[in-house]
Each structure stands twice: as C-alpha cells, then as structure tokens.
Amino acid sequence: MLDIKLVRDKTDTVIDALEKRGEDTAILSKTLDIENKRRDLLKIVEEQRERRNKLTGEIGKLKKKGEDASSILEDAKKISDEITLKEHKLRELESLASQELLLIPNIPHDSVPVGRDETENIELRAVGKIPEFAFDPRNHWDIGEDTGILDFERASKIAGARFVLYMGAGARLERALINFMLDLHTGEFGYTEIFPPVIVNKEAMTGTGQLPKFENDLFKMENDKKGFYLIPTAEVPVTNIHRNEILNEEDLPVYYAACTPCFRREAGSYGKDTRGLIRQHQFNKVELVKFVKPEDSYDELEALTKNAEEVLKRLGIAYRVVALCTGDLGFAAAKTYDIEIWFPAQGKYREVSSCSNFVDFQARRADIRFKRKGKKGTEFVHTLNGSGLAIGRTLAAVLENFQQEDGSVIIPEVLRPFMGTDRIRP
RNA sequence: GGAGAGGUGGCCGAGUGGUCGAAGGCAGCCGCCUGCUAAGCGGUUGUGGGGGUAAAACUUCACCCAGGGUUCGAAUCCCUGCCUCUCCGCCA
C-alpha cells in the first residue's frame, strides 16, 4: 500500500498515477475524507487520554497516602467514558481508512511507458534466433499427446478442465526443467533455495497484495474457518517469510528461489488458451524473490530479469523482453518486465516470466523493514520478484521449438543430464 | 483428536491492579582506565503515530502474542483467538 502521508501531502502525484493506470480516482477523495476525520478524532482522543493519565496518576498518589480521592474519581470516570466512546468511533475510522488504502494500486516508476493496455507495451530486446521449420510446426499439445507424455483427457477425468497429467518423459522433463533452473539460480546467481507452504493465510495474501482486491482469482479452502488459500505464486509465501520483521542492513540483499505449484482460478478467461499447457489451474513455477535496500532496487530489477533470461539463453529458445506500460502494470508493481518465449506453432511470443519491482508497496503492507547501521529508526525494504521461469509454459516451448519432422523432440543440451536422454520419441 | 504448560524489549529473565516502557543479566554502542589476544568502572541503547524544528532538542499518545472486556487506572484480572512446547492417540 501507499504511505498515507504521501496520499495526504502529494495527492496530485497519486491522482496522476491512477490516471496513467486507467483507474478511477474517486477512491482517493474517499480515502482522504476518512483519513482527515480519523486524524481529527485521534487528536481529540489523545488530548483526553493525557488528561485522564494525569488524573489517574493523582488518584494513585492519594490512595497511597490513604487520602480520599472521590472527587477526582468522578471526573476520571466521566472522561474515561467519553474516551471509550470516541475510541470505538476511532477504531471504525481506522479500519475504514486502511480498507480504502489497501485498494489503491502502486505508483508506476517514471521510466514506465504510459499506455492503455498490453498493445502499448514496449519491446526492449529480442534475443535468440527464431527457428525455421521445413514442415508445419505442431502445437505442443499435439506433440505431447502423440508422444504420450501429456494427457489432458485423463487429467480432466481426475480433476477437470485446465489440468494436465504428465507421464513418463513428460514428468521427467518437468522435473528436469525445475532442477536445471533451481541449480542455475542457487548455484550461479546466489539465491537461497526455499520450499515454502503452498497454503497460506489471509494475512500473507494481503501482504503481497492479492487480497483484498483479487480474491476472485484465488482458490480458497471452504472447509476451514481459518480462511486458507492456495498460493497463485511462490511470491506470496516467500515474500511473507520476513513479514513483521526488521532486518539488519548487512543482511541485505536477500535472494530466494523457490519452485512451487501455483493455483489460479482463471475466472473470466473461459475462451482463452483452452487447449494445452498455457493456462492451467495448477502449474509449477520457479520464482525469484529479492529483499533489497531502496537505493538498489532498480539495479536489482535489471539483474533479476537477466537471471531469468539466462535460463532461456541456455535452453536456446528465442525470447523477447518487454516493458509493461502503465495500463498493463500489476496492482502492486512499480515497474515490470515481461519475458516472452517464442512459440512456433502460434507464431508468436508468450509470457513465461514477469519481473517486478514493488518498491516499498508490499513491504509496507507486510511490514518488512530494515535498520541502517548507526542510524536511528527503520525503513521499509524494497521487494522484487520474477518468474525464473514458469515451468509448464517453458516445457510447452521446448516441445514446440525442438520438435522434429518425425514427431520426436530433441532435448536441449543443458537438460540432458537431468533427463538421461537426448530425445523424446513418439 | 485428548491432556497439560507457556507466550514480556536484540537475547535471557523479573514483575499478579497505580509512579512500569517495564528490575537484573547478556549482547551492542560511547567514554575512562589498563599494555596484551582481555578484564574493571561510568554512561547509553526499543517500535509506531501526532505536535514541534531548517534539522535536532522537546512534547504527547500507543505498544509487555492478537482482539475484545472489567476498572478512575491493566504487562498484571476476565473472555475469545493465534502460536509454541510436553505427554497420549493417529498418520505420511
């Protein structure tokens, strides 16, 4: 969430940010209205509390001396009752104010291109050679079914639409990709491997920004009064590792890498990507998460993106990096690069990674701070994350990019140690 | 699932109704002293909000797991929740 002081003192900046995102600015005036009422009341309550504290102090002294305190006692009771009333009202205002504040999106960084939607995203670089085929390249689901490594029909019997069953070399390929990516990030780029819970509570979801606004995108455990949710990305549990903590300056930066299943309801995407691995209710993803000092976060975003890109370079698949425009930027992000991987059958790039700097937005929600050596007070850390990469989509791209005319698929060099073979055959 | 114990500052640990933001110890920081891989002595060290200042100083409110309640007044009493630990059962 945003700093309420910023909303108060630099309202124009926030209005500008909302407009660039294409969001309604009405929420701001509502928030400010509540906030002003809250502050006014807070002032009154604090003054009254001060008076009460003085009175009760005197009562204490008198009682100790064994003297009569009944006259002050009456005053004290009266003011105390007033305070109780006003405190209730104050609590109401506080919760209203924070409810509103939680719905305001982050302010885009100055370097983010202004635009309405994904058509105005900007391609920064395209890397690798787009493969040419002497035949019509086939869709990955056809390849997967013909080689017997993907079974969508049985998955739908077991679970439903938008699920997949990996079998044999398919399951092995999924695992190979996971191991390859995790080994790369932990072994070469300094990330610490994490295996977190994939069920989290409401506080964790609120900390990273999925709640309260995007409840509809999540799977929720109905059978449990605690309100558990299935994670839509490892970002949630991993960022929340340090919720309500104050880190030491010398501990930063912290880099974590985690591979988890991700669960998404995909409500409202009924017509889209109904076939194949692109859009599933459950998929695996290697996620990179960073906690850094504010002055480093934009450099860290570049580095994070490079780390994710390296996976594709080594796999030898063409990709491009695009900068999301203001209208396409996620709720909590200040800046985002998407990495898109080449899909020959569709003849276009599809997203496999989204790398974002959230600056202090998540840190404020989740209360993740750090203390500079020799300085008083604390500051919010900056958090970042990015996929490094989505496994299912990468696997799909491997099948499509390395398919052969005879129906087999050549396994990229870097995966062979994990696969134990250089080819998947029909 | 059953039974019990407990949650206090960076850590350990006192405190069961009033002057407690909290004794004492450890750790950290500053200074003195000392000449040997350190000890002794003195001082100091939480977080958030409001006001105030150029910035400080200063001032005020809140915070002893969380949320309610009792009371003039709560770390201290009551209720609810969460978490941790021990034993039994069960389970991968």
Side-chain angles (χ1 to χ4, degrees), chain A residues 45 70 73 100 151 185 223-224 260 276 282 361 405:
Chain A
V45 169
S70 54
L73 223 128
E100 293 301 318
D151 192 332
H185 296 306
N223 196 19
D224 195 296
T260 68
Q282 176 189 332
F361 189 87
E405 193 156 16

Side-chain angles (χ1 to χ4, degrees), chain A residues 335-355:
Chain A
K335 182 170 187 171
T336 298
Y337 296 126
D338 273 4
I339 300 173
E340 300 179 340
I341 189 171
W342 180 252
F343 275 85
Q346 299 183 27
K348 63 179 179 183
Y349 292 101
R350 302 295 309 255
E351 178 187 337
V352 269
S353 174
S354 194
C355 303

Side-chain angles (χ1 to χ4, degrees), chain A residues 39-190:
Chain A
R39 273 211 306 166
D40 291 346
L41 187 60
L42 180 66
K43 204 170 171 185
I44 294 168
V45 169
E46 290 198 344
E47 280 164 9
Q48 289 194 325
R49 286 206 273 232
E50 185 179 353
R51 271 213 286 155
R52 184 193 60 192
N53 287 348
K54 291 201 168 122
L55 289 178
T56 59
E58 282 177 46
I59 291 169
K61 276 183 209 152
L62 288 175
K63 291 245 166 157
K64 200 144 227 175
K65 281 191 265 177
E67 291 176 27
D68 176 52
S70 54
S71 63
I72 309 178
L73 223 128
E74 224 169 277
D75 281 353
K77 176 151 180 62
K78 221 169 92 186
I79 196 164
S80 211
D81 287 345
E82 276 178 46
I83 290 172
T84 307
L85 272 174
K86 292 199 173 109
E87 276 177 342
H88 279 110
K89 180 75 188 160
L90 185 64
R91 237 174 273 146
E92 238 170 76
L93 286 171
E94 275 168 356
S95 84
L96 276 176
S98 64
Q99 274 171 40
E100 293 301 318
L101 207 54
L102 287 173
L103 295 174
I104 300 176
N106 203 355
I107 296 174
H109 189 249
D110 284 340
S111 64
V112 175
V114 177
R116 275 175 115 46
D117 54 40
E118 70 274 7
T119 61
E120 295 184 63
N121 293 343
I122 297 197
E123 179 179 311
L124 298 178
R125 53 185 173 273
V127 179
K129 203 173 129 245
I130 288 176
E132 283 172 28
F133 292 87
F135 56 97
D136 268 356
R138 296 186 303 148
N139 280 308
H140 66 268
W141 54 86
D142 288 334
I143 302 168
E145 282 172 344
D146 289 351
T147 49
I149 64 171
L150 300 180
D151 192 332
F152 293 97
E153 248 178 67
R154 286 197 174 106
S156 97
K157 175 172 70 181
I158 300 165
R162 293 205 191 286
F163 287 91
V164 66
L165 177 66
Y166 292 101
M167 298 180 74
R172 181 86 183 254
L173 182 54
E174 179 87 359
R175 184 158 58 86
L177 283 165
I178 292 169
N179 287 337
F180 164 61
M181 292 185 200
L182 281 176
D183 285 358
L184 177 66
H185 296 306
T186 60
E188 295 189 34
F189 301 143

Side-chain angles (χ1 to χ4, degrees), chain A residues 329-382:
Chain A
L329 206 57
F331 175 78
K335 182 170 187 171
T336 298
Y337 296 126
D338 273 4
I339 300 173
E340 300 179 340
I341 189 171
W342 180 252
F343 275 85
Q346 299 183 27
K348 63 179 179 183
Y349 292 101
R350 302 295 309 255
E351 178 187 337
V352 269
S353 174
S354 194
C355 303
S356 303
N357 185 2
F358 302 95
V359 296
D360 59 2
F361 189 87
Q362 291 182 327
R364 186 172 290 105
R365 284 176 166 247
D367 190 25
I368 307 168
R369 291 172 286 161
F370 78 103
K371 191 171 178 55
R372 287 191 200 268
K373 217 170 161 56
K375 276 193 91 178
K376 278 198 99 158
T378 57
E379 294 172 53
F380 289 111
V381 302
H382 280 192

Side-chain angles (χ1 to χ4, degrees), chain A residues 195-228:
Chain A
F195 200 101
V198 300
I199 294 177
V200 301
N201 58 34
K202 197 173 146 196
E203 287 71 31
M205 284 292 187
T206 305
T208 34
Q210 280 73 20
L211 289 179
K213 211 175 169 184
F214 305 101
E215 172 136 34
N216 205 33
D217 298 339
L218 303 170
F219 284 108
K220 185 178 185 181
M221 309 286 169
E222 284 298 336
N223 196 19
D224 195 296
K225 62 179 187 222
K226 283 175 188 160
F228 284 137

Side-chain angles (χ1 to χ4, degrees), chain A residues 140 166 174 177 181 264 266 273 277-280 283-284 312 317 339 341-343 350-353 389-401:
Chain A
H140 66 268
Y166 292 101
E174 179 87 359
L177 283 165
M181 292 185 200
R264 300 187 180 179
E266 296 296 347
D273 303 310
L277 293 172
I278 298 295
R279 199 171 297 276
Q280 298 277 302
F283 61 96
N284 292 313
L312 292 177
I317 303 179
I339 300 173
I341 189 171
W342 180 252
F343 275 85
R350 302 295 309 255
E351 178 187 337
V352 269
S353 174
L389 309 161
I391 303 295
R393 288 186 181 182
T394 305
L395 187 143
V398 167
L399 295 185
E400 288 197 17
N401 280 277

